[in-house]
Amino acid sequence: MKAIVRTPGYGFAGVAAPLPPAPLAKFLPMDAAWVAGTDYNAHITGSHYSGEFRFAAEADCVYFDTINPTIVDGSQPL
């Protein structure tokens, strides 16, 4: 995760903690520093579906929220 958020060009910046459905909330780290990048989202989704990816690199945690995800050619994380 640290390698992903350090990759230039994805526009990662600090964001608020995700607001998951109640059953998932217990799995999120407390007081984590979350980042997200709109360019990273577009890279992974290929702009074919809605998706947001938030990373808490120090906590080694990723939270993603997508609608109808599909495999997109060239959408590898790095």
Side-chain angles (χ1 to χ4, degrees):
M1 240 169 281
K2 289 178 185 177
I4 292 171
V5 300
R6 284 192 300 241
T7 302
Y10 288 136
F12 284 105
V15 294
L19 298 172
L24 297 179
K26 64 184 176 186
F27 297 106
L28 294 182
M30 298 296 288
D31 300 324
W34 292 91
V35 298
T38 54
D39 292 338
Y40 183 80
N41 294 340
H43 169 73
I44 294 298
T45 67
S47 299
H48 293 282
Y49 60 92
S50 174
E52 181 181 51
F53 302 82
R54 294 181 186 210
F55 295 91
E58 293 301 320
D60 200 29
C61 187
V62 62
Y63 179 86
F64 59 94
D65 188 5
T66 65
I67 298 173
N68 296 323
T70 60
I71 296 174
V72 177
D73 289 340
S75 67
Q76 306 311 316
L78 286 174

